Amino acid sequence: MRDKGLTVLTGVVFIAGLAAIYAAFIYAPPERFMGDLQRLMYFHIGSAWAAMLAFFMVFVYGVGYLFTRRPSFDRLALASAEVGVFFTTLVLITGPIWARPVWNTWWTWDPRLTTTLILWFIYIAYLLLRSSISDDTRRRVVASIFGIIGFLDVPIVHFSVTWWRSIHPNVITGGTINMAPAMTQALMVNGIAFVLLYVLLTWLRARLEAAREEVARLQHRVYERASDRTVEEHGGSGADIS
């Protein structure tokens, strides 16, 4: 059933991806001043939404693990963090490409850009922290706490354009999207496509981590049995000599 569900989700993501590309490049009209360059916005914002969802789920899975101690929550937190870093990297790449012709610079220490870069570093540190702790239980507890605390930067990123003076465009104000209807629809299609892609990538990464842990357990069991057999053989030969 899991494999069937994964196959269905993969098909849905593929169709959503095609719809997103069509909406961004064909359905949506060019922006009045930026022209076709503005089409980067659909992928930029879609990646940002997927990244924010990913880090929120790291928070949720971290809380879930601390309360239940179920390894599956920790695997999902790891998978979500890695996928979130991937989408944040896309945000940090597409942002400067979009900004260069508009702001005449690749990067400016705007509050939204700065807090997003900090968010990227936080979850890179989260992944490095996990790889530096060998004990499974301690790694899961420390990573859960770090993921929960790291999520505090997400609302800061979201509200940065209203808390501080910012030149970063804000297309959503007061719950209203300030764009033409066709652009809004293209943005929604891309947002849904990126969220579905997040779900698929997280599912695949969590399954991979579960398989890795199972292989590690089997290797440990084989090692223990080999060690016991070696001890028995040495003990037997010692008895024969005596």
Side-chain angles (χ1 to χ4, degrees), residues 183-218:
M183 291 182 175
T184 300
Q185 293 161 11
L187 180 61
M188 292 297 102
V189 170
N190 274 265
I192 293 171
F194 275 91
V195 167
L196 289 172
L197 180 59
Y198 156 75
V199 175
L200 176 62
L201 293 177
T202 302
W203 189 349
L204 290 172
R205 181 61 184 91
R207 283 184 52 159
L208 179 63
E209 185 63 17
R212 187 200 65 80
E213 291 179 358
E214 181 62 23
V215 169
R217 281 193 294 269
L218 292 174

PDB file of all heavy atoms in Angstrom, residues 183-218:
ATOM      1  N   MET A 183      -2.078  36.047 -12.541  1.00  0.00           N
ATOM      2  CA  MET A 183      -0.823  35.897 -11.805  1.00  0.00           C
ATOM      3  C   MET A 183      -1.068  35.216 -10.462  1.00  0.00           C
ATOM      4  O   MET A 183      -0.291  34.359 -10.030  1.00  0.00           O
ATOM      5  CB  MET A 183      -0.172  37.261 -11.591  1.00  0.00           C
ATOM      6  CG  MET A 183       0.355  37.918 -12.845  1.00  0.00           C
ATOM      7  SD  MET A 183       1.145  39.506 -12.474  1.00  0.00           S
ATOM      8  CE  MET A 183       1.779  39.952 -14.091  1.00  0.00           C
ATOM      9  N   THR A 184      -2.160  35.614  -9.808  1.00  0.00           N
ATOM     10  CA  THR A 184      -2.501  34.997  -8.520  1.00  0.00           C
ATOM     11  C   THR A 184      -2.755  33.503  -8.685  1.00  0.00           C
ATOM     12  O   THR A 184      -2.288  32.682  -7.888  1.00  0.00           O
ATOM     13  CB  THR A 184      -3.751  35.677  -7.937  1.00  0.00           C
ATOM     14  OG1 THR A 184      -3.494  37.069  -7.743  1.00  0.00           O
ATOM     15  CG2 THR A 184      -4.129  35.051  -6.601  1.00  0.00           C
ATOM     16  N   GLN A 185      -3.488  33.152  -9.737  1.00  0.00           N
ATOM     17  CA  GLN A 185      -3.774  31.737  -9.990  1.00  0.00           C
ATOM     18  C   GLN A 185      -2.493  30.962 -10.305  1.00  0.00           C
ATOM     19  O   GLN A 185      -2.310  29.837  -9.837  1.00  0.00           O
ATOM     20  CB  GLN A 185      -4.769  31.628 -11.138  1.00  0.00           C
ATOM     21  CG  GLN A 185      -6.153  32.163 -10.802  1.00  0.00           C
ATOM     22  CD  GLN A 185      -6.982  32.489 -12.024  1.00  0.00           C
ATOM     23  OE1 GLN A 185      -6.612  32.135 -13.153  1.00  0.00           O
ATOM     24  NE2 GLN A 185      -8.117  33.169 -11.830  1.00  0.00           N
ATOM     25  N   ALA A 186      -1.598  31.565 -11.089  1.00  0.00           N
ATOM     26  CA  ALA A 186      -0.323  30.916 -11.395  1.00  0.00           C
ATOM     27  C   ALA A 186       0.503  30.724 -10.126  1.00  0.00           C
ATOM     28  O   ALA A 186       1.154  29.691  -9.941  1.00  0.00           O
ATOM     29  CB  ALA A 186       0.456  31.740 -12.418  1.00  0.00           C
ATOM     30  N   LEU A 187       0.463  31.709  -9.236  1.00  0.00           N
ATOM     31  CA  LEU A 187       1.190  31.604  -7.972  1.00  0.00           C
ATOM     32  C   LEU A 187       0.632  30.477  -7.117  1.00  0.00           C
ATOM     33  O   LEU A 187       1.388  29.711  -6.511  1.00  0.00           O
ATOM     34  CB  LEU A 187       1.125  32.927  -7.217  1.00  0.00           C
ATOM     35  CG  LEU A 187       1.841  32.972  -5.866  1.00  0.00           C
ATOM     36  CD1 LEU A 187       3.337  32.691  -6.036  1.00  0.00           C
ATOM     37  CD2 LEU A 187       1.621  34.331  -5.194  1.00  0.00           C
ATOM     38  N   MET A 188      -0.693  30.360  -7.062  1.00  0.00           N
ATOM     39  CA  MET A 188      -1.316  29.306  -6.275  1.00  0.00           C
ATOM     40  C   MET A 188      -0.969  27.923  -6.822  1.00  0.00           C
ATOM     41  O   MET A 188      -0.672  26.992  -6.071  1.00  0.00           O
ATOM     42  CB  MET A 188      -2.834  29.501  -6.254  1.00  0.00           C
ATOM     43  CG  MET A 188      -3.312  30.722  -5.487  1.00  0.00           C
ATOM     44  SD  MET A 188      -2.901  30.662  -3.719  1.00  0.00           S
ATOM     45  CE  MET A 188      -1.490  31.772  -3.676  1.00  0.00           C
ATOM     46  N   VAL A 189      -1.002  27.785  -8.147  1.00  0.00           N
ATOM     47  CA  VAL A 189      -0.663  26.501  -8.769  1.00  0.00           C
ATOM     48  C   VAL A 189       0.777  26.120  -8.443  1.00  0.00           C
ATOM     49  O   VAL A 189       1.072  24.966  -8.091  1.00  0.00           O
ATOM     50  CB  VAL A 189      -0.878  26.565 -10.296  1.00  0.00           C
ATOM     51  CG1 VAL A 189      -0.294  25.328 -10.974  1.00  0.00           C
ATOM     52  CG2 VAL A 189      -2.362  26.684 -10.618  1.00  0.00           C
ATOM     53  N   ASN A 190       1.685  27.084  -8.544  1.00  0.00           N
ATOM     54  CA  ASN A 190       3.087  26.802  -8.219  1.00  0.00           C
ATOM     55  C   ASN A 190       3.267  26.511  -6.731  1.00  0.00           C
ATOM     56  O   ASN A 190       4.057  25.637  -6.365  1.00  0.00           O
ATOM     57  CB  ASN A 190       3.967  27.982  -8.639  1.00  0.00           C
ATOM     58  CG  ASN A 190       4.395  27.905 -10.078  1.00  0.00           C
ATOM     59  OD1 ASN A 190       5.460  27.416 -10.408  1.00  0.00           O
ATOM     60  ND2 ASN A 190       3.532  28.390 -10.963  1.00  0.00           N
ATOM     61  N   GLY A 191       2.534  27.224  -5.885  1.00  0.00           N
ATOM     62  CA  GLY A 191       2.626  26.954  -4.453  1.00  0.00           C
ATOM     63  C   GLY A 191       2.200  25.538  -4.119  1.00  0.00           C
ATOM     64  O   GLY A 191       2.869  24.827  -3.356  1.00  0.00           O
ATOM     65  N   ILE A 192       1.094  25.098  -4.711  1.00  0.00           N
ATOM     66  CA  ILE A 192       0.609  23.729  -4.491  1.00  0.00           C
ATOM     67  C   ILE A 192       1.611  22.711  -5.018  1.00  0.00           C
ATOM     68  O   ILE A 192       1.886  21.692  -4.367  1.00  0.00           O
ATOM     69  CB  ILE A 192      -0.766  23.540  -5.154  1.00  0.00           C
ATOM     70  CG1 ILE A 192      -1.814  24.390  -4.445  1.00  0.00           C
ATOM     71  CG2 ILE A 192      -1.176  22.067  -5.138  1.00  0.00           C
ATOM     72  CD1 ILE A 192      -3.151  24.437  -5.160  1.00  0.00           C
ATOM     73  N   ALA A 193       2.167  22.978  -6.203  1.00  0.00           N
ATOM     74  CA  ALA A 193       3.134  22.047  -6.803  1.00  0.00           C
ATOM     75  C   ALA A 193       4.368  21.898  -5.924  1.00  0.00           C
ATOM     76  O   ALA A 193       4.863  20.782  -5.716  1.00  0.00           O
ATOM     77  CB  ALA A 193       3.529  22.532  -8.191  1.00  0.00           C
ATOM     78  N   PHE A 194       4.866  22.996  -5.387  1.00  0.00           N
ATOM     79  CA  PHE A 194       6.060  22.928  -4.547  1.00  0.00           C
ATOM     80  C   PHE A 194       5.770  22.241  -3.217  1.00  0.00           C
ATOM     81  O   PHE A 194       6.613  21.508  -2.690  1.00  0.00           O
ATOM     82  CB  PHE A 194       6.633  24.329  -4.316  1.00  0.00           C
ATOM     83  CG  PHE A 194       7.556  24.783  -5.406  1.00  0.00           C
ATOM     84  CD1 PHE A 194       7.069  25.488  -6.496  1.00  0.00           C
ATOM     85  CD2 PHE A 194       8.916  24.498  -5.360  1.00  0.00           C
ATOM     86  CE1 PHE A 194       7.919  25.905  -7.516  1.00  0.00           C
ATOM     87  CE2 PHE A 194       9.779  24.907  -6.364  1.00  0.00           C
ATOM     88  CZ  PHE A 194       9.280  25.619  -7.454  1.00  0.00           C
ATOM     89  N   VAL A 195       4.591  22.458  -2.670  1.00  0.00           N
ATOM     90  CA  VAL A 195       4.223  21.782  -1.424  1.00  0.00           C
ATOM     91  C   VAL A 195       4.117  20.273  -1.652  1.00  0.00           C
ATOM     92  O   VAL A 195       4.586  19.463  -0.836  1.00  0.00           O
ATOM     93  CB  VAL A 195       2.906  22.355  -0.868  1.00  0.00           C
ATOM     94  CG1 VAL A 195       2.355  21.457   0.238  1.00  0.00           C
ATOM     95  CG2 VAL A 195       3.128  23.764  -0.331  1.00  0.00           C
ATOM     96  N   LEU A 196       3.500  19.874  -2.761  1.00  0.00           N
ATOM     97  CA  LEU A 196       3.412  18.443  -3.088  1.00  0.00           C
ATOM     98  C   LEU A 196       4.801  17.846  -3.302  1.00  0.00           C
ATOM     99  O   LEU A 196       5.067  16.708  -2.882  1.00  0.00           O
ATOM    100  CB  LEU A 196       2.550  18.244  -4.333  1.00  0.00           C
ATOM    101  CG  LEU A 196       1.050  18.498  -4.172  1.00  0.00           C
ATOM    102  CD1 LEU A 196       0.354  18.449  -5.522  1.00  0.00           C
ATOM    103  CD2 LEU A 196       0.433  17.481  -3.212  1.00  0.00           C
ATOM    104  N   LEU A 197       5.682  18.607  -3.950  1.00  0.00           N
ATOM    105  CA  LEU A 197       7.053  18.134  -4.137  1.00  0.00           C
ATOM    106  C   LEU A 197       7.753  17.964  -2.793  1.00  0.00           C
ATOM    107  O   LEU A 197       8.504  17.004  -2.590  1.00  0.00           O
ATOM    108  CB  LEU A 197       7.829  19.110  -5.010  1.00  0.00           C
ATOM    109  CG  LEU A 197       9.295  18.754  -5.306  1.00  0.00           C
ATOM    110  CD1 LEU A 197       9.405  17.400  -6.002  1.00  0.00           C
ATOM    111  CD2 LEU A 197       9.954  19.861  -6.132  1.00  0.00           C
ATOM    112  N   TYR A 198       7.491  18.884  -1.857  1.00  0.00           N
ATOM    113  CA  TYR A 198       8.043  18.744  -0.502  1.00  0.00           C
ATOM    114  C   TYR A 198       7.584  17.437   0.137  1.00  0.00           C
ATOM    115  O   TYR A 198       8.390  16.699   0.728  1.00  0.00           O
ATOM    116  CB  TYR A 198       7.624  19.929   0.374  1.00  0.00           C
ATOM    117  CG  TYR A 198       7.635  19.581   1.845  1.00  0.00           C
ATOM    118  CD1 TYR A 198       8.836  19.464   2.542  1.00  0.00           C
ATOM    119  CD2 TYR A 198       6.444  19.307   2.518  1.00  0.00           C
ATOM    120  CE1 TYR A 198       8.844  19.087   3.885  1.00  0.00           C
ATOM    121  CE2 TYR A 198       6.447  18.936   3.858  1.00  0.00           C
ATOM    122  CZ  TYR A 198       7.654  18.839   4.529  1.00  0.00           C
ATOM    123  OH  TYR A 198       7.667  18.449   5.848  1.00  0.00           O
ATOM    124  N   VAL A 199       6.288  17.144   0.032  1.00  0.00           N
ATOM    125  CA  VAL A 199       5.748  15.915   0.635  1.00  0.00           C
ATOM    126  C   VAL A 199       6.425  14.691   0.029  1.00  0.00           C
ATOM    127  O   VAL A 199       6.831  13.759   0.748  1.00  0.00           O
ATOM    128  CB  VAL A 199       4.223  15.844   0.450  1.00  0.00           C
ATOM    129  CG1 VAL A 199       3.687  14.505   0.958  1.00  0.00           C
ATOM    130  CG2 VAL A 199       3.543  16.997   1.185  1.00  0.00           C
ATOM    131  N   LEU A 200       6.564  14.678  -1.294  1.00  0.00           N
ATOM    132  CA  LEU A 200       7.179  13.530  -1.969  1.00  0.00           C
ATOM    133  C   LEU A 200       8.637  13.357  -1.564  1.00  0.00           C
ATOM    134  O   LEU A 200       9.068  12.246  -1.213  1.00  0.00           O
ATOM    135  CB  LEU A 200       7.079  13.714  -3.488  1.00  0.00           C
ATOM    136  CG  LEU A 200       7.773  12.639  -4.335  1.00  0.00           C
ATOM    137  CD1 LEU A 200       7.156  11.268  -4.088  1.00  0.00           C
ATOM    138  CD2 LEU A 200       7.710  13.009  -5.813  1.00  0.00           C
ATOM    139  N   LEU A 201       9.410  14.432  -1.591  1.00  0.00           N
ATOM    140  CA  LEU A 201      10.834  14.339  -1.245  1.00  0.00           C
ATOM    141  C   LEU A 201      11.034  13.936   0.213  1.00  0.00           C
ATOM    142  O   LEU A 201      11.931  13.148   0.535  1.00  0.00           O
ATOM    143  CB  LEU A 201      11.524  15.678  -1.525  1.00  0.00           C
ATOM    144  CG  LEU A 201      11.619  16.097  -2.994  1.00  0.00           C
ATOM    145  CD1 LEU A 201      12.265  17.480  -3.109  1.00  0.00           C
ATOM    146  CD2 LEU A 201      12.414  15.072  -3.793  1.00  0.00           C
ATOM    147  N   THR A 202      10.187  14.457   1.100  1.00  0.00           N
ATOM    148  CA  THR A 202      10.297  14.101   2.516  1.00  0.00           C
ATOM    149  C   THR A 202       9.966  12.632   2.732  1.00  0.00           C
ATOM    150  O   THR A 202      10.637  11.936   3.505  1.00  0.00           O
ATOM    151  CB  THR A 202       9.360  14.988   3.353  1.00  0.00           C
ATOM    152  OG1 THR A 202       9.689  16.363   3.139  1.00  0.00           O
ATOM    153  CG2 THR A 202       9.499  14.663   4.842  1.00  0.00           C
ATOM    154  N   TRP A 203       8.942  12.160   2.059  1.00  0.00           N
ATOM    155  CA  TRP A 203       8.556  10.744   2.148  1.00  0.00           C
ATOM    156  C   TRP A 203       9.709   9.851   1.682  1.00  0.00           C
ATOM    157  O   TRP A 203      10.087   8.899   2.362  1.00  0.00           O
ATOM    158  CB  TRP A 203       7.313  10.504   1.302  1.00  0.00           C
ATOM    159  CG  TRP A 203       6.688   9.150   1.455  1.00  0.00           C
ATOM    160  CD1 TRP A 203       7.225   8.061   2.105  1.00  0.00           C
ATOM    161  CD2 TRP A 203       5.408   8.727   0.964  1.00  0.00           C
ATOM    162  NE1 TRP A 203       6.360   6.992   2.034  1.00  0.00           N
ATOM    163  CE2 TRP A 203       5.243   7.372   1.349  1.00  0.00           C
ATOM    164  CE3 TRP A 203       4.406   9.356   0.237  1.00  0.00           C
ATOM    165  CZ2 TRP A 203       4.100   6.649   1.016  1.00  0.00           C
ATOM    166  CZ3 TRP A 203       3.256   8.639  -0.087  1.00  0.00           C
ATOM    167  CH2 TRP A 203       3.112   7.304   0.304  1.00  0.00           C
ATOM    168  N   LEU A 204      10.280  10.175   0.528  1.00  0.00           N
ATOM    169  CA  LEU A 204      11.378   9.368  -0.009  1.00  0.00           C
ATOM    170  C   LEU A 204      12.598   9.410   0.914  1.00  0.00           C
ATOM    171  O   LEU A 204      13.236   8.383   1.165  1.00  0.00           O
ATOM    172  CB  LEU A 204      11.758   9.875  -1.398  1.00  0.00           C
ATOM    173  CG  LEU A 204      10.742   9.615  -2.518  1.00  0.00           C
ATOM    174  CD1 LEU A 204      11.162  10.345  -3.786  1.00  0.00           C
ATOM    175  CD2 LEU A 204      10.596   8.118  -2.773  1.00  0.00           C
ATOM    176  N   ARG A 205      12.920  10.598   1.440  1.00  0.00           N
ATOM    177  CA  ARG A 205      14.100  10.721   2.315  1.00  0.00           C
ATOM    178  C   ARG A 205      13.883   9.987   3.636  1.00  0.00           C
ATOM    179  O   ARG A 205      14.815   9.359   4.162  1.00  0.00           O
ATOM    180  CB  ARG A 205      14.412  12.190   2.572  1.00  0.00           C
ATOM    181  CG  ARG A 205      15.647  12.434   3.445  1.00  0.00           C
ATOM    182  CD  ARG A 205      16.884  11.866   2.798  1.00  0.00           C
ATOM    183  NE  ARG A 205      18.047  12.001   3.668  1.00  0.00           N
ATOM    184  CZ  ARG A 205      18.429  11.081   4.551  1.00  0.00           C
ATOM    185  NH1 ARG A 205      17.722   9.954   4.700  1.00  0.00           N
ATOM    186  NH2 ARG A 205      19.503  11.265   5.295  1.00  0.00           N
ATOM    187  N   ALA A 206      12.687  10.031   4.171  1.00  0.00           N
ATOM    188  CA  ALA A 206      12.403   9.318   5.412  1.00  0.00           C
ATOM    189  C   ALA A 206      12.490   7.808   5.206  1.00  0.00           C
ATOM    190  O   ALA A 206      13.007   7.077   6.059  1.00  0.00           O
ATOM    191  CB  ALA A 206      11.032   9.711   5.957  1.00  0.00           C
ATOM    192  N   ARG A 207      12.009   7.326   4.067  1.00  0.00           N
ATOM    193  CA  ARG A 207      12.114   5.896   3.753  1.00  0.00           C
ATOM    194  C   ARG A 207      13.581   5.484   3.613  1.00  0.00           C
ATOM    195  O   ARG A 207      13.985   4.413   4.072  1.00  0.00           O
ATOM    196  CB  ARG A 207      11.363   5.585   2.461  1.00  0.00           C
ATOM    197  CG  ARG A 207       9.860   5.511   2.625  1.00  0.00           C
ATOM    198  CD  ARG A 207       9.166   5.104   1.349  1.00  0.00           C
ATOM    199  NE  ARG A 207       9.724   3.879   0.785  1.00  0.00           N
ATOM    200  CZ  ARG A 207       9.080   3.100  -0.077  1.00  0.00           C
ATOM    201  NH1 ARG A 207       7.860   3.429  -0.475  1.00  0.00           N
ATOM    202  NH2 ARG A 207       9.626   2.023  -0.558  1.00  0.00           N
ATOM    203  N   LEU A 208      14.362   6.329   2.986  1.00  0.00           N
ATOM    204  CA  LEU A 208      15.788   6.043   2.840  1.00  0.00           C
ATOM    205  C   LEU A 208      16.474   5.983   4.194  1.00  0.00           C
ATOM    206  O   LEU A 208      17.309   5.103   4.442  1.00  0.00           O
ATOM    207  CB  LEU A 208      16.436   7.117   1.965  1.00  0.00           C
ATOM    208  CG  LEU A 208      17.947   6.971   1.725  1.00  0.00           C
ATOM    209  CD1 LEU A 208      18.251   5.681   0.972  1.00  0.00           C
ATOM    210  CD2 LEU A 208      18.478   8.175   0.954  1.00  0.00           C
ATOM    211  N   GLU A 209      16.110   6.888   5.091  1.00  0.00           N
ATOM    212  CA  GLU A 209      16.710   6.891   6.426  1.00  0.00           C
ATOM    213  C   GLU A 209      16.289   5.654   7.213  1.00  0.00           C
ATOM    214  O   GLU A 209      17.089   5.070   7.951  1.00  0.00           O
ATOM    215  CB  GLU A 209      16.294   8.157   7.180  1.00  0.00           C
ATOM    216  CG  GLU A 209      16.939   8.333   8.540  1.00  0.00           C
ATOM    217  CD  GLU A 209      18.443   8.471   8.498  1.00  0.00           C
ATOM    218  OE1 GLU A 209      18.976   8.760   7.409  1.00  0.00           O
ATOM    219  OE2 GLU A 209      19.086   8.302   9.552  1.00  0.00           O
ATOM    220  N   ALA A 210      15.030   5.233   7.073  1.00  0.00           N
ATOM    221  CA  ALA A 210      14.571   4.018   7.746  1.00  0.00           C
ATOM    222  C   ALA A 210      15.340   2.805   7.230  1.00  0.00           C
ATOM    223  O   ALA A 210      15.730   1.930   8.018  1.00  0.00           O
ATOM    224  CB  ALA A 210      13.071   3.829   7.516  1.00  0.00           C
ATOM    225  N   ALA A 211      15.586   2.743   5.925  1.00  0.00           N
ATOM    226  CA  ALA A 211      16.363   1.632   5.360  1.00  0.00           C
ATOM    227  C   ALA A 211      17.805   1.674   5.863  1.00  0.00           C
ATOM    228  O   ALA A 211      18.389   0.632   6.164  1.00  0.00           O
ATOM    229  CB  ALA A 211      16.333   1.712   3.837  1.00  0.00           C
ATOM    230  N   ARG A 212      18.362   2.882   5.957  1.00  0.00           N
ATOM    231  CA  ARG A 212      19.742   3.003   6.461  1.00  0.00           C
ATOM    232  C   ARG A 212      19.844   2.514   7.900  1.00  0.00           C
ATOM    233  O   ARG A 212      20.795   1.803   8.265  1.00  0.00           O
ATOM    234  CB  ARG A 212      20.196   4.460   6.373  1.00  0.00           C
ATOM    235  CG  ARG A 212      21.678   4.685   6.706  1.00  0.00           C
ATOM    236  CD  ARG A 212      21.949   6.122   7.063  1.00  0.00           C
ATOM    237  NE  ARG A 212      21.261   6.517   8.279  1.00  0.00           N
ATOM    238  CZ  ARG A 212      21.684   6.235   9.499  1.00  0.00           C
ATOM    239  NH1 ARG A 212      22.789   5.496   9.678  1.00  0.00           N
ATOM    240  NH2 ARG A 212      21.013   6.636  10.553  1.00  0.00           N
ATOM    241  N   GLU A 213      18.870   2.882   8.735  1.00  0.00           N
ATOM    242  CA  GLU A 213      18.877   2.439  10.127  1.00  0.00           C
ATOM    243  C   GLU A 213      18.713   0.921  10.216  1.00  0.00           C
ATOM    244  O   GLU A 213      19.340   0.276  11.069  1.00  0.00           O
ATOM    245  CB  GLU A 213      17.773   3.146  10.901  1.00  0.00           C
ATOM    246  CG  GLU A 213      18.010   4.630  11.097  1.00  0.00           C
ATOM    247  CD  GLU A 213      16.880   5.303  11.845  1.00  0.00           C
ATOM    248  OE1 GLU A 213      15.893   4.598  12.180  1.00  0.00           O
ATOM    249  OE2 GLU A 213      16.956   6.524  12.091  1.00  0.00           O
ATOM    250  N   GLU A 214      17.879   0.341   9.356  1.00  0.00           N
ATOM    251  CA  GLU A 214      17.684  -1.107   9.363  1.00  0.00           C
ATOM    252  C   GLU A 214      18.975  -1.823   8.959  1.00  0.00           C
ATOM    253  O   GLU A 214      19.345  -2.841   9.553  1.00  0.00           O
ATOM    254  CB  GLU A 214      16.553  -1.481   8.418  1.00  0.00           C
ATOM    255  CG  GLU A 214      16.241  -2.964   8.368  1.00  0.00           C
ATOM    256  CD  GLU A 214      15.769  -3.516   9.705  1.00  0.00           C
ATOM    257  OE1 GLU A 214      15.263  -2.722  10.534  1.00  0.00           O
ATOM    258  OE2 GLU A 214      15.901  -4.732   9.922  1.00  0.00           O
ATOM    259  N   VAL A 215      19.665  -1.304   7.958  1.00  0.00           N
ATOM    260  CA  VAL A 215      20.949  -1.888   7.544  1.00  0.00           C
ATOM    261  C   VAL A 215      21.959  -1.800   8.687  1.00  0.00           C
ATOM    262  O   VAL A 215      22.704  -2.760   8.946  1.00  0.00           O
ATOM    263  CB  VAL A 215      21.490  -1.183   6.290  1.00  0.00           C
ATOM    264  CG1 VAL A 215      22.933  -1.577   6.016  1.00  0.00           C
ATOM    265  CG2 VAL A 215      20.629  -1.502   5.085  1.00  0.00           C
ATOM    266  N   ALA A 216      21.984  -0.674   9.385  1.00  0.00           N
ATOM    267  CA  ALA A 216      22.908  -0.507  10.511  1.00  0.00           C
ATOM    268  C   ALA A 216      22.599  -1.514  11.615  1.00  0.00           C
ATOM    269  O   ALA A 216      23.509  -2.086  12.223  1.00  0.00           O
ATOM    270  CB  ALA A 216      22.832   0.917  11.046  1.00  0.00           C
ATOM    271  N   ARG A 217      21.300  -1.744  11.876  1.00  0.00           N
ATOM    272  CA  ARG A 217      20.925  -2.730  12.894  1.00  0.00           C
ATOM    273  C   ARG A 217      21.361  -4.140  12.486  1.00  0.00           C
ATOM    274  O   ARG A 217      21.866  -4.915  13.298  1.00  0.00           O
ATOM    275  CB  ARG A 217      19.410  -2.690  13.142  1.00  0.00           C
ATOM    276  CG  ARG A 217      18.954  -1.562  14.029  1.00  0.00           C
ATOM    277  CD  ARG A 217      17.525  -1.774  14.489  1.00  0.00           C
ATOM    278  NE  ARG A 217      16.587  -1.701  13.373  1.00  0.00           N
ATOM    279  CZ  ARG A 217      15.981  -0.595  12.981  1.00  0.00           C
ATOM    280  NH1 ARG A 217      16.235   0.543  13.589  1.00  0.00           N
ATOM    281  NH2 ARG A 217      15.126  -0.615  11.977  1.00  0.00           N
ATOM    282  N   LEU A 218      21.149  -4.467  11.221  1.00  0.00           N
ATOM    283  CA  LEU A 218      21.539  -5.796  10.736  1.00  0.00           C
ATOM    284  C   LEU A 218      23.051  -5.968  10.786  1.00  0.00           C
ATOM    285  O   LEU A 218      23.546  -7.039  11.157  1.00  0.00           O
ATOM    286  CB  LEU A 218      21.022  -5.996   9.314  1.00  0.00           C
ATOM    287  CG  LEU A 218      19.504  -6.100   9.153  1.00  0.00           C
ATOM    288  CD1 LEU A 218      19.123  -6.156   7.680  1.00  0.00           C
ATOM    289  CD2 LEU A 218      18.965  -7.322   9.889  1.00  0.00           C
TER     290      LEU A 218
END
